[in-house]
Each structure stands twice: as C-alpha cells, then as structure tokens.
Amino acid sequence: MPTATVRTRVINLRTDEARRALIDRAAEALGKDRTEFMLDAATREAQSVLLDRRLFHLDEAAFRRFSKALDAPPKASSRLRKLLATPAPWER
C-alpha cells in the first residue's frame, strides 16, 4: 500500500464546465477524486515530456564532438567498475 504524502502546495486551475464534467466522469470511473485524478494525469504527462527529450540540434562542430564522445570507449574508473558490478534492483 502506498504511503500517504503530506500535500503542502496548492495548484489552482480554471476551466469550463464541459472539461470539469469530463474530468469528474473519468475520475469517478477510476474510483478517484478529481484532485487525485488530475495530479496522476499531470504527473504522467510531466514524466513523459521529460523522458522524451530525444531531439536536439547541434551545429556541425558540436555534432562531431558529440559523436566522438559517444564512440570513445569509457574511461576506466573505480566508480564505473562498481556500477557495472552492482546487480540491478530486479536481480536482487
């Protein structure tokens, strides 16, 4: 069971009646209240936006440096060896 978190910040939103009714129907269908539904939906979208940052633009010189860095073997370090030797959480 998830632990309860203390909510200390307020987010105010204004909307039209049709959107509010749609959100309320969807929240009810999932057995959630409006706040919980909206926070869950907004959190999922925020994570998606931040994780989907795959397109970026580089000028030719910056792209060459970027490609060179990607193609170079990793530098040996104790931290990298430790990371690679640590079992993934699902393997524990």
Side-chain angles (χ1 to χ4, degrees):
M1 185 167 155
T3 60
T5 58
V6 177
R7 295 180 180 170
T8 60
R9 300 288 187 244
V10 174
I11 300 172
N12 292 308
L13 298 171
R14 295 200 181 276
T15 188
D16 55 71
E17 188 57 41
R19 279 187 179 181
R20 180 177 168 164
L22 176 65
I23 291 166
D24 286 350
R25 286 195 320 266
E28 183 179 353
L30 294 178
K32 298 180 178 185
D33 63 33
R34 182 186 311 128
T35 298
E36 184 180 13
F37 178 83
M38 291 179 71
L39 286 174
D40 288 349
T43 300
R44 275 193 313 277
E45 183 65 13
Q47 289 170 337
S48 176
V49 165
L50 295 175
L51 291 172
D52 197 27
R53 306 295 281 189
R54 292 183 257 170
L55 177 64
F56 54 96
H57 300 277
L58 299 174
D59 62 36
E60 192 173 326
F63 180 74
R64 279 196 303 272
R65 289 192 309 274
F66 180 70
S67 294
K68 184 178 176 182
L70 288 178
D71 292 339
K75 295 178 183 175
S77 75
S78 60
R79 290 173 59 194
L80 179 59
R81 279 190 291 282
K82 180 179 177 185
L83 174 65
L84 295 175
T86 303
W90 56 89
E91 294 174 338
R92 295 180 194 158

